[in-house]
Amino acid sequence: DTGVSQNPRHKITKRGQNVTFRCDPISEHNRLYWYRQTLGQGPEFLTYFQNEAQLEKSRLLSDRFSAERPKGSFSTLEIQRTEQGDSAMYLCASSTVEGSPLHFGNGTRLTVT
Amino acid sequence: AQSVAQPEDQVNVAEGNPLTVKCTYSVSGNPYLFWYVQYPNRGLQFLLKYITGDNLVKGSYGFEAEFNKSQTSFHLKKPSALVSDSALYFCAPGGYQKVTFGTGTKLQVIP
């Protein structure tokens, strides 16, 4: 069990630029989640995959956000035309079956200047 | 739909005293309930979960939680707090797919 890996750890970008984050889940985990966390708040659900299928996406997510998991293994989260309000920690988690605990990566901290 | 409330932003407790971190939830159907802990500059770590069975669930680092269906509560407890328990604690009800996190309770254990 090598854990959930997220890259990069930190990303600083200028407003209006596009950014992409990568998540590598634990290898036998077929469920993958993306969350966003701002300082002093709990993780906010963004989207969920089971294998390669994106089964749920938060209504809070604007059209500027997109996530993929093309082969049911790693996942990418892209933010287009970044805004200062997008500055946050982006967390990825994976799990096995329904009701099993989520295993979190250390996150990607995004700063939009 | 599912929701969760952690009514205390911060809980202070003296080292060696028992601690309780409160959580109430709303979930359709039978709930999966989790507690996670987040240490400074670290990722979230799973502490314990309730799915079915005994209402008192034991987890990592000596923590336990009591499921109360009538009060829709899932309070986190520990008989004797350690300074190293100081962290941010999240209650998280889960349904078939997504897991919803509370706003968190900062636990401060005072030496």
Side-chain angles (χ1 to χ4, degrees):
Chain A
D1 181 353
T2 57
V4 177
S5 177
Q6 291 189 247
N7 287 289
R9 291 293 305 274
H10 303 276
K11 179 71 177 179
I12 300 173
T13 190
K14 293 185 177 181
R15 187 179 52 172
Q17 297 296 304
N18 299 344
V19 294
T20 300
F21 310 140
R22 177 177 171 126
C23 172
D24 288 89
I26 295 170
S27 58
E28 64 269 24
H29 287 189
N30 62 358
R31 295 173 174 231
L32 187 146
Y33 304 77
W34 284 99
Y35 286 84
R36 176 173 65 185
Q37 186 177 25
T38 54
L39 195 63
Q41 300 297 312
E44 175 188 23
F45 173 80
L46 294 179
T47 191
Y48 157 71
F49 290 86
Q50 186 163 334
N51 299 311
E52 66 275 11
Q54 187 174 20
L55 298 185
E56 189 168 350
K57 183 177 177 180
S58 170
R59 285 174 290 178
L60 298 174
L61 230 57
S62 73
D63 290 341
R64 297 185 296 108
F65 288 71
S66 62
E68 293 183 343
R69 195 182 182 197
K71 297 182 180 180
S73 57
F74 74 92
S75 175
T76 58
L77 177 68
E78 182 183 16
I79 309 174
Q80 296 181 330
R81 305 181 302 281
T82 52
E83 302 172 355
Q84 287 188 322
D86 297 331
S87 295
M89 177 73 83
Y90 289 82
L91 301 170
C92 177
S94 68
S95 69
T96 54
V97 299
E98 177 185 347
S100 61
L102 272 59
H103 296 254
F104 281 87
N106 287 326
T108 293
R109 182 172 296 283
L110 173 66
T111 302
V112 182
T113 61
Chain B
Q2 51 191 331
S3 64
V4 56
Q6 292 183 244
E8 303 153 317
D9 289 336
Q10 181 160 334
V11 170
N12 296 322
V13 62
E15 185 177 24
N17 282 3
L19 69 88
T20 298
V21 182
K22 296 179 180 177
C23 169
T24 58
Y25 66 89
S26 174
V27 177
S28 301
N30 294 322
Y32 303 128
L33 296 166
F34 303 89
W35 276 100
Y36 289 83
V37 60
Q38 188 172 37
Y39 297 100
N41 300 315
R42 300 275 297 277
L44 283 99
Q45 298 177 30
F46 166 73
L47 267 183
L48 52 79
K49 71 175 181 181
Y50 171 85
I51 295 180
T52 187
D54 195 345
N55 289 343
L56 186 64
V57 179
K58 295 188 183 297
S60 306
Y61 312 122
F63 283 93
E64 56 191 27
E66 187 169 10
F67 171 68
N68 187 316
K69 188 173 182 178
S70 63
Q71 296 184 3
T72 61
S73 67
F74 189 55
H75 300 331
L76 181 70
K77 300 181 180 184
K78 187 173 183 180
S80 178
L82 300 173
V83 172
S84 58
D85 293 330
S86 298
L88 194 55
Y89 290 81
F90 293 98
C91 180
Y96 173 65
Q97 295 179 344
K98 75 179 184 184
V99 177
T100 300
F101 286 82
T103 52
T105 298
K106 182 178 180 181
L107 174 65
Q108 190 73 39
V109 181
I110 303 163

